[in-house]
Amino acid sequence: MGNRVAREDFEWVYSDQPHADRRKEILAKYPEIKSLMGPDPRLKWIVCMMVAVQFLAFYLVKDLPWKWVMFWTYVFGSCINHSMTLAIHEISHNTAFGNNRAKWNRWFAIFANLPIGLPYSASFKRYHLDHHRYLGGEGVDVDIPTDFEGWFFCTRLRKLFWIMFQPLFYTIRPLCINPKPISQLELINVSIQLSFNALVYWAWGAKPLVYMMMGSMLGMGLHPISGHFIAEHYMFLKGHETYSYYGSLNLLTFNVGYHNEHHDFPSVPGRRLPMVKEIAAEYYRELPCYTSWVRVLYDFIMDDELSPYSRVKRRLTGEVKQE
């Protein structure tokens, strides 16, 4: 458990990310993929249903013994809340109401944020689009761990703790790598979320609040679904910086596992990403992929060649336009 990993720095490259060129090549050959772009009319109803389910869960757990509150928090609440974060990921690409109603998407994301307990939807939008434009970009892409994370979490035990506390690092990392002025929408997001949390506590007490907050923390920590954090871009194979996952958990995560397809076509809603893979099969068939996020977590912890440093990183040149 004490073996240190071999990496002492990120994998620095001096080429552009592969997704823009592949997108152009695929669209030239299969222009029908453009018809897959645009909003998913089902998304808003699915999100509303999930929010309603969590509201019902808040009411049901208020009288349970604490041991059962924690049990259902991990078994059920963590799955729903992590799924809600990925719904917000979908909405950040304007797939709920389309690009022509961008503000509707922003407000709907704040609504979807309510059961999560932690106000993050407005900030996520700002940083996530930078992640797509400047994948691996130094000082811009906050999905890349800090140097401290790469240096310190370098043993199996430390990597285990790093995964357990992923939500904390995702919260702190933007402040260290790419701090931005607080926007009005972020302040609104925080005020609405804190007011909602206070209302839940006033109506039903502490147990629903613990169920809500701990569900988010546990669901994004050491949890099968959180394997996607590692699977998406950590370099298990040299020369590959994005990986897709084709397993059953895509059903709970809006097909976020189709990650090569998503970065190639971020305007295509998750529900239609399998169609991209089917149409342009020859572009994705030979790319390395996963079928188990649990196995990804296990391999990341146990493989002494892997660490938070196992990311492709590039220095950006030219003008950088951020959200």
Side-chain angles (χ1 to χ4, degrees):
M1 297 292 284
N3 293 342
R4 296 180 66 90
V5 299
R7 296 198 67 92
E8 296 182 351
D9 198 359
F10 298 102
E11 181 77 8
W12 289 93
V13 299
Y14 302 93
S15 58
D16 292 334
Q17 60 163 299
H19 300 288
D21 288 341
R22 188 160 60 218
R23 181 187 311 122
K24 293 177 183 178
E25 189 174 337
I26 291 175
L27 285 177
K29 189 172 183 179
Y30 300 108
E32 62 267 30
I33 286 180
K34 291 181 181 179
S35 67
L36 302 178
M37 301 175 183
D40 177 2
R42 298 183 187 181
L43 178 61
K44 55 183 174 292
W45 304 116
I46 294 172
V47 169
C48 287
M49 180 187 68
M50 293 171 67
V51 170
V53 166
Q54 282 296 69
F55 284 6
L56 176 61
F58 295 163
Y59 175 78
L60 294 176
V61 303
K62 68 183 179 66
D63 296 321
L64 290 179
W66 276 108
K67 65 178 181 180
W68 289 110
V69 172
M70 298 310 298
F71 172 82
W72 287 114
T73 294
Y74 188 80
V75 171
F76 183 77
S78 62
C79 297
I80 298 295
N81 275 12
H82 198 137
S83 185
M84 289 302 303
T85 67
L86 295 169
I88 291 171
H89 165 256
E90 279 283 286
I91 298 166
S92 74
H93 290 284
N94 293 338
T95 56
F97 297 99
N99 293 325
N100 293 332
R101 294 175 174 173
K103 287 188 177 180
W104 290 30
N105 290 283
R106 302 292 81 75
W107 287 106
F108 191 59
I110 291 175
F111 167 73
N113 199 152
L114 292 178
I116 296 172
L118 308 170
Y120 94 107
S121 65
S123 299
F124 177 81
K125 161 79 174 178
R126 300 179 72 193
Y127 285 103
H128 184 65
L129 297 187
D130 292 340
H131 166 67
H132 274 270
R133 290 192 190 109
Y134 306 110
L135 180 63
E138 183 183 25
V140 176
D141 185 0
V142 300
D143 194 57
I144 298 286
T146 60
D147 280 304
F148 171 78
E149 291 171 76
W151 168 77
F152 185 77
F153 295 100
C154 57
T155 68
R156 295 176 183 179
L157 183 59
R158 292 183 190 181
K159 286 190 287 182
L160 173 63
F161 280 105
W162 182 71
I163 289 173
M164 290 173 65
F165 294 100
Q166 279 284 335
L168 176 63
F169 292 109
Y170 270 97
T171 301
I172 295 174
R173 201 179 291 156
L175 304 177
C176 300
I177 295 177
N178 186 16
K180 297 183 179 184
I182 298 174
S183 70
Q184 183 180 17
L185 192 62
E186 286 175 305
L187 292 175
I188 293 171
N189 187 188
V190 170
S191 62
I192 289 176
Q193 187 65 58
L194 294 181
S195 299
F196 175 77
N197 293 356
L199 180 62
V200 169
Y201 179 78
W202 175 80
W204 295 322
K207 290 177 181 178
L209 203 61
V210 170
Y211 168 87
M212 174 169 55
M213 305 286 283
M214 287 301 296
S216 297
M217 296 296 292
L218 293 172
M220 290 185 282
L222 191 61
H223 192 282
I225 297 178
S226 71
H228 80 87
F229 289 131
I230 305 298
E232 290 168 358
H233 296 293
Y234 283 81
M235 194 181 64
F236 280 66
L237 293 174
K238 189 176 178 66
H240 296 275
E241 61 182 304
T242 306
Y243 302 78
S244 287
Y245 156 83
Y246 303 123
S248 58
L249 287 177
N250 277 316
L251 296 172
L252 296 176
T253 58
F254 300 90
N255 282 333
V256 75
Y258 287 78
H259 217 66
N260 265 303
E261 295 85 348
H262 171 60
H263 270 264
D264 289 351
F265 299 100
S267 296
V268 175
R271 185 167 65 90
R272 300 180 192 141
L273 289 175
M275 301 179 198
V276 172
K277 180 176 182 287
E278 182 179 351
I279 292 170
E282 69 272 25
Y283 287 91
Y284 300 106
R285 188 182 301 118
E286 301 302 322
L287 294 178
C289 61
Y290 305 110
T291 57
S292 170
W293 278 334
V294 174
R295 183 57 188 264
V296 168
L297 291 173
Y298 177 83
D299 287 347
F300 181 82
I301 293 169
M302 300 304 293
D303 190 336
D304 292 334
E305 296 295 320
L306 297 171
S307 78
Y309 269 142
S310 300
R311 289 292 299 265
V312 171
K313 199 171 181 181
R314 47 179 58 86
R315 292 184 173 88
L316 301 173
T317 59
E319 185 179 5
V320 176
K321 297 180 180 180
Q322 300 186 57
E323 284 294 311

